[in-house]
Amino acid sequence: MPAADPTPAGVWVAIVPLLSRWIGGTEFKQLPNLRLVANCAVGYNNVDLVAAQLRDVVVTNTPDVLTAATADLTWALILAGARRVLEGVDLIRAGTWTGWHPTQLLGLELHDRILGLLGAGRIGQAVGRRGVAFGMRVRYASRSPKQEFERETGAERVELGALLKESDVLSLHVPATPETRGLIGSETLAQMKPGAILINTARGDLIREEALAAALDRGHLGAAGLDVYADEPRIHPRLLAAPRTVLLPHIGSATVDTRRRMAAVALANVRAVLAGQPPLTPVYR
Ligand code: NAP
C-alpha cells in the first residue's frame, strides 16, 4: 500500500510496514489488538519504539539480508562520485563531447586513499571490506571497537574529528537516532578534507542538507553521493541544484534477491510471534 494511504485501523494483530510508513501513537491507538510491527527494513526510525514498548508491541526488522546489496550500492556512489561518472554520461547525452582530452573530467584516485566509515556495523564493515579490495586504507568511528573487522581489514578506529579531517571518502552507516540527527552539518562539513567525497546510504536525517549544498557550491567537497534524504521523496531544492552530486532514489536494498529475503524475514517474524514463539530479529528485548 502506498505510504500516502493511511495505516489501516482495526483488529489487526500484526502489521508489516515499509520504511516510508510512520507507526506512532495514533496508529497504535487505532490498532488495539496489535502484537507485532514487523518492519520490512533494517532501519526502524519510522516506528515510535517508546509507544510500542508502552503497549507491549514487539518490533522486528530485517538485518543482514540487505547488507551486501546496500554495501554494493554504496560503492556505486563512491565510484560515481570519485570518477565523475554522471558528468561523463551527461557529456555524451548532450552530444557535446569533443573527444579525449588530458584534463577532461579528472577525478579522485581511490588507491591508497583513506576510506572513513562513520558507523561500522554490518553495512559499514561490508563497505570497508570492499574498500580494501580497491586498495583503500580504512578508518572508522563507532561506539564500540570492532576487533575482528580491524584484523580482517587493517582498519583503525579513530575519533569523529580525526575521521572528518583524514577521510578522502567519508561514508555514513549509523542509524537515524536523536544522537545522530544532523551530525553532518556546517561545522562537521568544514572539518572535512577539501575535495573529500561524502556518501550517505544510511538515513537522510544524518545530514543538514542545506549545509551540504552550501559546501558543494563553495567547492569544499569533491562530490556527494546520496541514496537517502531528510524528507523523502522531496529533495531539498538546493541539493538538486548543487554541483557534483550523485542522487539516487533510496534503492540501497533494491535487488530482487534482497527484497525477497527482506519480505521472508518480516513474514517469519509474524509467523513466530503469532505462534507464541520469540521473534527472530527483535529490535529490543
Ligand atoms: P548496524 O549493524 O546496527 O550498524 C549501525 C552501527 O552504527 C553500529 O556499529 C553502531 O555502533 C553504530 N552507531 C549507532 N549509533 C551510533 C552513534 N550515535 N554514534 C556512532 N555510531 C553509532 O546497522 P546496519 O545493518 O549496518 O544498517 C545501518 C543503517 O543503514 C540502518 O540503520 C539503516 O538506516 C541504513 N540502511 C539504508 C539502506 C538504504 O536503502 N539506503 C539499506 C539498509 C540500511 P555499535 O556497533 O557500537 O552498536
Side-chain angles (χ1 to χ4, degrees), residues 13 15 17 30-31 38 62 69-70 89 97 102 119 127 141 144 186 197 214 220 225 236-237 252 255 258 261 268:
V13 289
I15 53 173
Q30 291 173 353
L31 292 161
T62 63
T70 310
V89 170
W97 185 44
V127 169
S144 54
S186 44
I197 295 174
H220 177 61
H236 195 295
T255 70
T258 288
R261 287 194 291 252

PDB file of all heavy atoms in Angstrom, residues 13 15 17 30-31 38 62 69-70 89 97 102 119 127 141 144 186 197 214 220 225 236-237 252 255 258 261 268:
ATOM      1  N   VAL A  13      -3.549  -7.952  14.238  1.00  0.00           N
ATOM      2  CA  VAL A  13      -2.641  -8.314  15.341  1.00  0.00           C
ATOM      3  C   VAL A  13      -1.176  -8.118  14.946  1.00  0.00           C
ATOM      4  O   VAL A  13      -0.299  -8.071  15.809  1.00  0.00           O
ATOM      5  CB  VAL A  13      -2.872  -9.768  15.824  1.00  0.00           C
ATOM      6  CG1 VAL A  13      -4.188  -9.872  16.571  1.00  0.00           C
ATOM      7  CG2 VAL A  13      -2.799 -10.753  14.666  1.00  0.00           C
ATOM      8  N   ILE A  15       1.385  -6.078  11.764  1.00  0.00           N
ATOM      9  CA  ILE A  15       1.487  -5.314  10.519  1.00  0.00           C
ATOM     10  C   ILE A  15       2.934  -5.373  10.025  1.00  0.00           C
ATOM     11  O   ILE A  15       3.865  -5.538  10.814  1.00  0.00           O
ATOM     12  CB  ILE A  15       1.049  -3.830  10.673  1.00  0.00           C
ATOM     13  CG1 ILE A  15       1.793  -3.154  11.823  1.00  0.00           C
ATOM     14  CG2 ILE A  15      -0.452  -3.712  10.851  1.00  0.00           C
ATOM     15  CD1 ILE A  15       1.534  -1.658  11.899  1.00  0.00           C
ATOM     16  N   PRO A  17       5.019  -2.938   8.009  1.00  0.00           N
ATOM     17  CA  PRO A  17       5.148  -1.656   7.315  1.00  0.00           C
ATOM     18  C   PRO A  17       6.447  -1.543   6.519  1.00  0.00           C
ATOM     19  O   PRO A  17       7.444  -2.191   6.843  1.00  0.00           O
ATOM     20  CB  PRO A  17       5.147  -0.633   8.459  1.00  0.00           C
ATOM     21  CG  PRO A  17       5.593  -1.370   9.653  1.00  0.00           C
ATOM     22  CD  PRO A  17       5.305  -2.831   9.438  1.00  0.00           C
ATOM     23  N   GLN A  30      -5.178   3.141  17.166  1.00  0.00           N
ATOM     24  CA  GLN A  30      -6.197   2.630  16.240  1.00  0.00           C
ATOM     25  C   GLN A  30      -6.038   1.138  15.949  1.00  0.00           C
ATOM     26  O   GLN A  30      -6.808   0.560  15.183  1.00  0.00           O
ATOM     27  CB  GLN A  30      -6.150   3.438  14.943  1.00  0.00           C
ATOM     28  CG  GLN A  30      -6.650   4.858  15.184  1.00  0.00           C
ATOM     29  CD  GLN A  30      -6.469   5.753  13.983  1.00  0.00           C
ATOM     30  OE1 GLN A  30      -5.848   5.378  12.998  1.00  0.00           O
ATOM     31  NE2 GLN A  30      -7.027   6.939  14.065  1.00  0.00           N
ATOM     32  N   LEU A  31      -5.008   0.524  16.530  1.00  0.00           N
ATOM     33  CA  LEU A  31      -4.781  -0.924  16.354  1.00  0.00           C
ATOM     34  C   LEU A  31      -4.680  -1.553  17.741  1.00  0.00           C
ATOM     35  O   LEU A  31      -3.609  -2.002  18.175  1.00  0.00           O
ATOM     36  CB  LEU A  31      -3.478  -1.151  15.563  1.00  0.00           C
ATOM     37  CG  LEU A  31      -3.506  -0.715  14.092  1.00  0.00           C
ATOM     38  CD1 LEU A  31      -2.096  -0.535  13.543  1.00  0.00           C
ATOM     39  CD2 LEU A  31      -4.263  -1.745  13.258  1.00  0.00           C
ATOM     40  N   ALA A  38       6.299  -5.757  12.206  1.00  0.00           N
ATOM     41  CA  ALA A  38       7.421  -6.438  11.535  1.00  0.00           C
ATOM     42  C   ALA A  38       7.907  -5.520  10.422  1.00  0.00           C
ATOM     43  O   ALA A  38       7.517  -5.658   9.257  1.00  0.00           O
ATOM     44  CB  ALA A  38       6.968  -7.792  10.993  1.00  0.00           C
ATOM     45  N   THR A  62      14.767  -6.255   9.527  1.00  0.00           N
ATOM     46  CA  THR A  62      15.297  -7.282   8.611  1.00  0.00           C
ATOM     47  C   THR A  62      16.815  -7.099   8.436  1.00  0.00           C
ATOM     48  O   THR A  62      17.288  -6.737   7.360  1.00  0.00           O
ATOM     49  CB  THR A  62      14.596  -7.209   7.233  1.00  0.00           C
ATOM     50  OG1 THR A  62      14.890  -5.928   6.647  1.00  0.00           O
ATOM     51  CG2 THR A  62      13.108  -7.383   7.346  1.00  0.00           C
ATOM     52  N   ALA A  69      23.736  -5.947  -0.582  1.00  0.00           N
ATOM     53  CA  ALA A  69      23.132  -5.079  -1.613  1.00  0.00           C
ATOM     54  C   ALA A  69      23.394  -3.609  -1.288  1.00  0.00           C
ATOM     55  O   ALA A  69      23.737  -2.805  -2.169  1.00  0.00           O
ATOM     56  CB  ALA A  69      21.632  -5.344  -1.713  1.00  0.00           C
ATOM     57  N   THR A  70      23.254  -3.247  -0.009  1.00  0.00           N
ATOM     58  CA  THR A  70      23.427  -1.843   0.368  1.00  0.00           C
ATOM     59  C   THR A  70      24.899  -1.433   0.276  1.00  0.00           C
ATOM     60  O   THR A  70      25.224  -0.320  -0.151  1.00  0.00           O
ATOM     61  CB  THR A  70      22.859  -1.597   1.778  1.00  0.00           C
ATOM     62  OG1 THR A  70      21.544  -2.133   1.839  1.00  0.00           O
ATOM     63  CG2 THR A  70      22.800  -0.116   2.099  1.00  0.00           C
ATOM     64  N   VAL A  89      28.433  10.864 -18.449  1.00  0.00           N
ATOM     65  CA  VAL A  89      27.210  10.432 -19.137  1.00  0.00           C
ATOM     66  C   VAL A  89      26.491  11.653 -19.731  1.00  0.00           C
ATOM     67  O   VAL A  89      26.036  11.633 -20.882  1.00  0.00           O
ATOM     68  CB  VAL A  89      26.274   9.671 -18.151  1.00  0.00           C
ATOM     69  CG1 VAL A  89      24.905   9.431 -18.766  1.00  0.00           C
ATOM     70  CG2 VAL A  89      26.912   8.357 -17.714  1.00  0.00           C
ATOM     71  N   TRP A  97      30.502  16.156 -26.394  1.00  0.00           N
ATOM     72  CA  TRP A  97      31.848  15.592 -26.199  1.00  0.00           C
ATOM     73  C   TRP A  97      32.667  15.786 -27.469  1.00  0.00           C
ATOM     74  O   TRP A  97      32.244  15.398 -28.560  1.00  0.00           O
ATOM     75  CB  TRP A  97      31.740  14.099 -25.876  1.00  0.00           C
ATOM     76  CG  TRP A  97      33.046  13.453 -25.553  1.00  0.00           C
ATOM     77  CD1 TRP A  97      34.023  13.949 -24.758  1.00  0.00           C
ATOM     78  CD2 TRP A  97      33.514  12.197 -26.039  1.00  0.00           C
ATOM     79  NE1 TRP A  97      35.077  13.082 -24.696  1.00  0.00           N
ATOM     80  CE2 TRP A  97      34.795  11.991 -25.473  1.00  0.00           C
ATOM     81  CE3 TRP A  97      32.984  11.220 -26.886  1.00  0.00           C
ATOM     82  CZ2 TRP A  97      35.559  10.856 -25.738  1.00  0.00           C
ATOM     83  CZ3 TRP A  97      33.728  10.082 -27.142  1.00  0.00           C
ATOM     84  CH2 TRP A  97      35.001   9.897 -26.566  1.00  0.00           C
ATOM     85  N   PRO A 102      43.418  15.517 -22.140  1.00  0.00           N
ATOM     86  CA  PRO A 102      44.198  15.112 -20.960  1.00  0.00           C
ATOM     87  C   PRO A 102      43.674  15.636 -19.628  1.00  0.00           C
ATOM     88  O   PRO A 102      44.000  15.077 -18.573  1.00  0.00           O
ATOM     89  CB  PRO A 102      45.606  15.664 -21.249  1.00  0.00           C
ATOM     90  CG  PRO A 102      45.456  16.613 -22.383  1.00  0.00           C
ATOM     91  CD  PRO A 102      44.236  16.212 -23.144  1.00  0.00           C
ATOM     92  N   GLY A 119      30.272   4.753  11.703  1.00  0.00           N
ATOM     93  CA  GLY A 119      29.429   3.590  11.988  1.00  0.00           C
ATOM     94  C   GLY A 119      30.023   2.387  11.287  1.00  0.00           C
ATOM     95  O   GLY A 119      30.233   2.421  10.070  1.00  0.00           O
ATOM     96  N   VAL A 127      31.144  -2.298   3.587  1.00  0.00           N
ATOM     97  CA  VAL A 127      31.696  -1.251   2.714  1.00  0.00           C
ATOM     98  C   VAL A 127      33.220  -1.183   2.897  1.00  0.00           C
ATOM     99  O   VAL A 127      33.970  -1.073   1.925  1.00  0.00           O
ATOM    100  CB  VAL A 127      31.027   0.117   3.026  1.00  0.00           C
ATOM    101  CG1 VAL A 127      31.757   1.265   2.333  1.00  0.00           C
ATOM    102  CG2 VAL A 127      29.559   0.089   2.615  1.00  0.00           C
ATOM    103  N   ALA A 141      34.835   5.341  12.858  1.00  0.00           N
ATOM    104  CA  ALA A 141      34.447   5.870  14.167  1.00  0.00           C
ATOM    105  C   ALA A 141      33.168   5.160  14.548  1.00  0.00           C
ATOM    106  O   ALA A 141      32.227   5.113  13.761  1.00  0.00           O
ATOM    107  CB  ALA A 141      34.212   7.376  14.087  1.00  0.00           C
ATOM    108  N   SER A 144      31.653   1.275  19.659  1.00  0.00           N
ATOM    109  CA  SER A 144      32.443   0.171  20.236  1.00  0.00           C
ATOM    110  C   SER A 144      33.484  -0.302  19.226  1.00  0.00           C
ATOM    111  O   SER A 144      33.257  -0.207  18.014  1.00  0.00           O
ATOM    112  CB  SER A 144      31.504  -0.981  20.616  1.00  0.00           C
ATOM    113  OG  SER A 144      30.737  -1.339  19.495  1.00  0.00           O
ATOM    114  N   SER A 186      27.094  22.223   9.094  1.00  0.00           N
ATOM    115  CA  SER A 186      28.138  23.148   8.615  1.00  0.00           C
ATOM    116  C   SER A 186      29.459  22.970   9.367  1.00  0.00           C
ATOM    117  O   SER A 186      30.530  23.011   8.760  1.00  0.00           O
ATOM    118  CB  SER A 186      27.642  24.590   8.659  1.00  0.00           C
ATOM    119  OG  SER A 186      26.985  24.824   9.865  1.00  0.00           O
ATOM    120  N   ILE A 197      34.937  13.226  -0.574  1.00  0.00           N
ATOM    121  CA  ILE A 197      33.634  12.778  -1.089  1.00  0.00           C
ATOM    122  C   ILE A 197      32.785  12.281   0.076  1.00  0.00           C
ATOM    123  O   ILE A 197      33.258  11.481   0.884  1.00  0.00           O
ATOM    124  CB  ILE A 197      33.852  11.654  -2.129  1.00  0.00           C
ATOM    125  CG1 ILE A 197      34.592  12.236  -3.340  1.00  0.00           C
ATOM    126  CG2 ILE A 197      32.542  11.013  -2.544  1.00  0.00           C
ATOM    127  CD1 ILE A 197      34.979  11.194  -4.357  1.00  0.00           C
ATOM    128  N   ALA A 214      25.586  23.975   0.456  1.00  0.00           N
ATOM    129  CA  ALA A 214      26.483  25.138   0.516  1.00  0.00           C
ATOM    130  C   ALA A 214      27.941  24.686   0.373  1.00  0.00           C
ATOM    131  O   ALA A 214      28.729  25.320  -0.331  1.00  0.00           O
ATOM    132  CB  ALA A 214      26.276  25.889   1.833  1.00  0.00           C
ATOM    133  N   HIS A 220      34.048  23.080  -1.553  1.00  0.00           N
ATOM    134  CA  HIS A 220      34.825  22.479  -0.458  1.00  0.00           C
ATOM    135  C   HIS A 220      34.857  20.951  -0.581  1.00  0.00           C
ATOM    136  O   HIS A 220      35.881  20.319  -0.336  1.00  0.00           O
ATOM    137  CB  HIS A 220      34.237  22.908   0.893  1.00  0.00           C
ATOM    138  CG  HIS A 220      34.939  22.286   2.059  1.00  0.00           C
ATOM    139  ND1 HIS A 220      36.275  22.506   2.311  1.00  0.00           N
ATOM    140  CD2 HIS A 220      34.515  21.421   3.021  1.00  0.00           C
ATOM    141  CE1 HIS A 220      36.633  21.814   3.380  1.00  0.00           C
ATOM    142  NE2 HIS A 220      35.589  21.141   3.823  1.00  0.00           N
ATOM    143  N   GLY A 225      27.472  11.673  -2.732  1.00  0.00           N
ATOM    144  CA  GLY A 225      26.655  10.598  -3.289  1.00  0.00           C
ATOM    145  C   GLY A 225      25.606  10.210  -2.262  1.00  0.00           C
ATOM    146  O   GLY A 225      25.947   9.769  -1.161  1.00  0.00           O
ATOM    147  N   HIS A 236      15.731  18.407  -1.229  1.00  0.00           N
ATOM    148  CA  HIS A 236      15.948  19.825  -0.962  1.00  0.00           C
ATOM    149  C   HIS A 236      16.346  20.523  -2.273  1.00  0.00           C
ATOM    150  O   HIS A 236      17.276  20.075  -2.954  1.00  0.00           O
ATOM    151  CB  HIS A 236      17.064  19.983   0.076  1.00  0.00           C
ATOM    152  CG  HIS A 236      17.120  21.346   0.671  1.00  0.00           C
ATOM    153  ND1 HIS A 236      17.437  22.466  -0.067  1.00  0.00           N
ATOM    154  CD2 HIS A 236      16.887  21.782   1.923  1.00  0.00           C
ATOM    155  CE1 HIS A 236      17.406  23.535   0.714  1.00  0.00           C
ATOM    156  NE2 HIS A 236      17.063  23.141   1.926  1.00  0.00           N
ATOM    157  N   PRO A 237      15.661  21.626  -2.629  1.00  0.00           N
ATOM    158  CA  PRO A 237      15.959  22.262  -3.927  1.00  0.00           C
ATOM    159  C   PRO A 237      17.412  22.696  -4.079  1.00  0.00           C
ATOM    160  O   PRO A 237      17.968  22.641  -5.177  1.00  0.00           O
ATOM    161  CB  PRO A 237      15.016  23.477  -3.968  1.00  0.00           C
ATOM    162  CG  PRO A 237      14.384  23.575  -2.625  1.00  0.00           C
ATOM    163  CD  PRO A 237      14.557  22.280  -1.920  1.00  0.00           C
ATOM    164  N   GLY A 252      19.068   1.428  -1.887  1.00  0.00           N
ATOM    165  CA  GLY A 252      20.170   0.659  -1.294  1.00  0.00           C
ATOM    166  C   GLY A 252      19.933  -0.841  -1.293  1.00  0.00           C
ATOM    167  O   GLY A 252      20.818  -1.625  -1.622  1.00  0.00           O
ATOM    168  N   THR A 255      17.490  -5.021  -4.752  1.00  0.00           N
ATOM    169  CA  THR A 255      17.740  -6.100  -5.709  1.00  0.00           C
ATOM    170  C   THR A 255      16.615  -7.117  -5.505  1.00  0.00           C
ATOM    171  O   THR A 255      16.025  -7.176  -4.413  1.00  0.00           O
ATOM    172  CB  THR A 255      19.105  -6.802  -5.497  1.00  0.00           C
ATOM    173  OG1 THR A 255      19.051  -7.551  -4.281  1.00  0.00           O
ATOM    174  CG2 THR A 255      20.254  -5.811  -5.465  1.00  0.00           C
ATOM    175  N   THR A 258      17.402  -9.523  -2.568  1.00  0.00           N
ATOM    176  CA  THR A 258      17.352  -8.913  -1.244  1.00  0.00           C
ATOM    177  C   THR A 258      15.927  -8.581  -0.842  1.00  0.00           C
ATOM    178  O   THR A 258      15.517  -8.838   0.301  1.00  0.00           O
ATOM    179  CB  THR A 258      18.269  -7.665  -1.206  1.00  0.00           C
ATOM    180  OG1 THR A 258      19.612  -8.126  -1.223  1.00  0.00           O
ATOM    181  CG2 THR A 258      18.047  -6.835   0.039  1.00  0.00           C
ATOM    182  N   ARG A 261      14.266 -11.636   0.292  1.00  0.00           N
ATOM    183  CA  ARG A 261      14.747 -12.069   1.613  1.00  0.00           C
ATOM    184  C   ARG A 261      14.192 -11.171   2.721  1.00  0.00           C
ATOM    185  O   ARG A 261      13.856 -11.639   3.801  1.00  0.00           O
ATOM    186  CB  ARG A 261      16.280 -12.077   1.644  1.00  0.00           C
ATOM    187  CG  ARG A 261      16.880 -13.221   0.841  1.00  0.00           C
ATOM    188  CD  ARG A 261      18.348 -13.407   1.167  1.00  0.00           C
ATOM    189  NE  ARG A 261      19.136 -12.301   0.686  1.00  0.00           N
ATOM    190  CZ  ARG A 261      19.962 -12.361  -0.354  1.00  0.00           C
ATOM    191  NH1 ARG A 261      20.099 -13.490  -1.021  1.00  0.00           N
ATOM    192  NH2 ARG A 261      20.661 -11.311  -0.728  1.00  0.00           N
ATOM    193  N   ALA A 268       8.530 -14.281   8.521  1.00  0.00           N
ATOM    194  CA  ALA A 268       8.959 -15.292   9.509  1.00  0.00           C
ATOM    195  C   ALA A 268       8.775 -14.741  10.923  1.00  0.00           C
ATOM    196  O   ALA A 268       8.400 -15.481  11.844  1.00  0.00           O
ATOM    197  CB  ALA A 268      10.414 -15.678   9.262  1.00  0.00           C
TER     198      ALA A 268
END
